[in-house]
Each structure stands twice: as C-alpha cells, then as structure tokens.
Amino acid sequence: MEEIKPYKDSDTTHLFDQLNILLYLNGYTNFWVQKVKLPKKFIKFYDYMNIVLHVLCIAFSIIEFGSLFTQNELTTKQQADRNVIAMSNPMMHVYSIKYFLKRMETREVFYYIAVLLKEVHNDLDVERSMIRKLKAYLIAYAGSSFVALTLYGVYSTVKYITEDAPFITVITMWPETHDRSNLAEMVRIVFYLFWWISFYRDSAFYLIILSMQIGLGHQYMNLQSYFYNLQRIFDDSEMCQKEKEDKYVESFKYGIKLHTSTIWCTNQCQLICSEIYASQVLLLTIILINFLPALVNSQEDTELACAHFPPFIFTLVTMGYVMWNAGDITVEAAKLPDAMYSSGWENCYDQSAVRVRKLVVIAMTQAQQPIVLTAFGVVELSYETYLAILKSAYSVVSVFY
C-alpha cells in the first residue's frame, strides 16, 4: 500500500472522517487512513459488540434463508417478500467477506481519491459537487430504506389490528405463519426490530461502493478541469515563450500521470467490487421477477398493490444507485480527450510544437479507451443496462402473466 504521508485537510477528507465513524458503527473497520474519532473506551467496548452483532446477523440470515424450506402457507405478498429477503441477505454477507479480504486495497483507493490525486490540482467546485452528490445519495438511501422498513411494520400492524392477523414482517423459518401463540408474536416483534439492525449493517457496503464510484466520477471531472487550466500557463506575461512551453510540457506529463493513477483506481474499484456488481445484476433480476407478478396479481386489490409498491420502488432505486454512478464514471472519462485537446498545445511553436503534439496525441489515444465497470466481466454497468434489465424482466413476466 502507498505510504501514508501527512496531508492537508480538505472537505473530502473531512467527509471521509465522518463516513469512517458511520461505517465503523456498522461493522466496517479500517475504511479510512485515519483512526476512528471516537472515545477509546467506546471503541474497546464496540469492538467486542461488533463481533457479537456480526454472529447474530449471520444467524439471522440463516433462519431467513431457511424459510424457503419451512414456510409454505404464505400469501402472494409474503411469498414475494420471503423470496427476495431470503436471497438478498446472504448475498449481502458476501459483501462483508469481500471487504474484509480487500480492506487494504479499499483504503488505498480512497487515499488516492481524497489526497494523492488532489495534491497539485483540486477544483473546489468539483469537490463541492462531489460532496453534495454523495450526501444526497446517502441521505436518499437511508431515508428510502427507513420508509420501506417502516411500511412493513405499519402494514403488519394495521393487519394485526383490523383483521386480527399475525404480526408478520420478515419471514423466518420459525415461527410458522399460522402460529398465534404469545411467544410467536413476541419473537416476530423481536425479529422485526433486529431486522433493522441486520439490514443497515449488511447494506452498509453500499456506502463504500457509492463513495468510491462518486469519488472516481468526480476525479475524472477534476482531471478535465486540470487540463483545461493548462491554457492559463501561456497567459503568464512574466515568463518567456520557452519557459511557458517547458512548464506546459511538465504539467501535461503530470496530468498523464494523474490519468494513469485514476485508471488504476478504477481498475481497483472493479477488482474490489466485481462480485458485488455481479450479485447486484442477479439480485435485481430476481427481485423484479418476484415482485412484478405480485404487483400484477394485486391489481384488483388496492391495499395489496400499495403494500407491494414501496418495497418494489425501493429495490429499483437502490439497485440503480450502483449502476447509475458506474455509468457516470464511463461518461466523465469519455470527456477527458476533449479536455486534453483544449489544454493549449497550439500555443507551442517550432520544434517544441512537434514534440508537444506527439505527447498530446499519445495521451488522447489512451484517454479514448473506454472506461467501463462490468458485472460478470461482460455486462456493462450503465443507465442503458439498467433499463435493459428492467425491460427484460418485464418481458419475462408479461409472457407468463
């Protein structure tokens, strides 16, 4: 890993300090190069608590997955919920395992994004845009998941009061859905409350993925700003023409170095998240195939349709977060050749002009290579792929229903 050197604090490093605390509380340690800024006594206590919570979350996922084999007397809604939750939670535990195996590589990527790639040039407008976007996505994810989990409880509570139905939110292998004993009801309430803890701990990896993707997308924007600003070198009246040309060449070469490092970070992002990207595409398809029939079958039942709609929309949006931001990386990287071309190379003359043109052509050729994050090595993560998956799932459902 790159040696951690003292660095100047910025809005980005301050944001990562805050994310470091949030992720630590959700079981993801060593996210950032700085230590968690919490009291030492609390950290010592919570390190043990993290182990206990992690074991409980794994056990909870097992009893959720076991419901696929033990719970058969389910309504259409319960069956759709059961299939989705029982399949998605074990996949989320894979994220935790992958993070543990790649935690050092993850720290290094974030160190590059926040510090090393911004040492010489950090466009404050781009940085503020990145922070606003990241905060918006994190708030939207936390808010939408809060609403979805709450609605599960509200729907079950209404059913319990108005129809004397069991309080069933998350389907587990025990108790049976027809069990009306007091113990069964208490266990269901406990499972529902623990589901909140399990969900946010398991899905916290989304914060890492979104932070990495948004940071990389804006780093390509920062690179564009860097190359566009090279034009200003030739506006300096205190330097002669040769000094301007020499400074431009050195600055352009440094820009190529930054571009190479940014590509390395993007490749690391693909390596760290490859299984997660594949599971997201697979999970999105599974969830759509489960929820769409449930929505179709509930068209004549307004109450049931309303119960299906919030988790369905939440699923579409959260899965879209990953694919949309991966697509943004591709879009912003594709704009870099134009920035290189507009960097001011035409202000060089004579032999220097020949040398600079060759340098610019080589750099633009490299920048024109598409930067694409993929799932399964072939499925491009983008807006177009996201829409294609939605259309494919709808086509499958429409054929059978």
Side-chain angles (χ1 to χ4, degrees), residues 121-144:
H121 179 78
N122 182 24
D123 190 311
L124 296 180
D125 290 335
V126 172
E127 183 179 41
R128 284 190 287 265
S129 174
M130 181 198 74
I131 293 173
R132 285 195 302 268
K133 183 176 181 180
L134 181 55
K135 286 183 176 180
Y137 268 95
L138 298 185
I139 293 172
Y141 178 75
S144 57

Side-chain angles (χ1 to χ4, degrees), residues 232-249:
R232 298 179 181 178
I233 293 175
F234 297 97
D235 296 333
D236 191 345
S237 58
E238 296 182 359
M239 292 190 296
C240 65
Q241 178 64 20
K242 186 177 185 308
E243 290 174 334
K244 293 178 183 179
E245 292 174 353
D246 291 342
K247 184 177 180 180
Y248 173 82
V249 170

Side-chain angles (χ1 to χ4, degrees), residues 151-222:
L151 287 176
Y152 271 100
V154 171
Y155 178 80
S156 298
T157 301
V158 171
K159 284 288 186 180
Y160 179 81
I161 296 174
T162 60
E163 301 179 11
D164 196 29
F167 181 82
I168 299 175
T169 51
V170 54
I171 308 295
T172 54
M173 62 189 302
W174 182 87
E176 297 288 339
T177 55
H178 55 77
D179 190 345
R180 299 303 307 274
S181 65
N182 291 332
L183 176 61
E185 294 292 6
M186 290 179 61
V187 169
R188 292 188 186 109
I189 293 173
V190 171
F191 281 166
Y192 173 60
L193 296 176
F194 188 79
W195 187 29
W196 283 75
I197 299 174
S198 175
F199 177 84
Y200 279 109
R201 285 179 63 87
D202 291 341
S203 63
F205 196 84
Y206 278 110
L207 306 186
I208 297 176
I209 296 176
L210 291 176
S211 300
M212 192 179 299
Q213 289 181 338
I214 293 174
L216 284 172
H218 282 76
Q219 174 53 29
Y220 281 105
M221 294 172 63
N222 192 57

Side-chain angles (χ1 to χ4, degrees), residues 112 116-118 120-121 216-217 219-224 226-227 230 250-268 329-340 359-372:
Y112 266 85
L116 295 183
L117 295 177
K118 301 182 185 295
V120 172
H121 179 78
L216 284 172
Q219 174 53 29
Y220 281 105
M221 294 172 63
N222 192 57
L223 268 177
Q224 295 169 34
Y226 174 83
F227 282 107
L230 293 184
E250 291 302 316
S251 299
F252 197 93
K253 287 181 178 178
Y254 185 77
I256 295 175
K257 180 181 177 181
L258 289 177
H259 182 217
T260 303
S261 297
T262 305
I263 293 175
W264 177 84
C265 288
T266 307
N267 292 335
Q268 286 294 99
I329 294 176
T330 301
V331 171
E332 295 302 330
K335 297 178 181 178
L336 198 54
D338 290 339
M340 292 177 173
L359 184 64
V360 173
V361 169
I362 293 172
M364 290 179 62
T365 302
Q366 182 188 33
Q368 286 172 345
Q369 298 297 319
I371 302 296
V372 180

Side-chain angles (χ1 to χ4, degrees), residues 251-316:
S251 299
F252 197 93
K253 287 181 178 178
Y254 185 77
I256 295 175
K257 180 181 177 181
L258 289 177
H259 182 217
T260 303
S261 297
T262 305
I263 293 175
W264 177 84
C265 288
T266 307
N267 292 335
Q268 286 294 99
C269 178
Q270 174 69 57
L271 179 65
I272 294 168
C273 304
S274 56
E275 289 84 359
I276 288 84
Y277 293 152
S279 67
Q280 287 296 291
V281 173
L282 180 62
L283 190 58
L284 176 58
T285 305
I286 293 174
I287 289 175
L288 288 173
I289 293 175
N290 274 277
F291 269 128
L292 282 175
L295 284 171
V296 171
N297 292 333
S298 62
Q299 284 180 348
E300 297 179 359
D301 189 338
T302 304
E303 179 187 350
L304 190 57
C306 292
H308 280 300
F309 194 68
F312 177 70
I313 294 300
F314 170 72
T315 300
L316 294 186

Side-chain angles (χ1 to χ4, degrees), residues 7 10-26 28 31-32 34-38 131 134-135 138 207 211:
Y7 58 84
S10 64
D11 291 342
T12 303
T13 59
H14 179 66
L15 176 63
F16 285 175
D17 284 335
Q18 295 175 324
L19 280 176
N20 198 27
I21 297 175
L22 182 60
L23 288 165
Y24 171 76
L25 295 176
N26 283 280
Y28 290 88
F31 157 76
W32 182 229
Q34 296 293 343
K35 294 183 178 180
V36 178
K37 296 180 180 179
L38 290 171
I131 293 173
L134 181 55
K135 286 183 176 180
L138 298 185
L207 306 186
S211 300

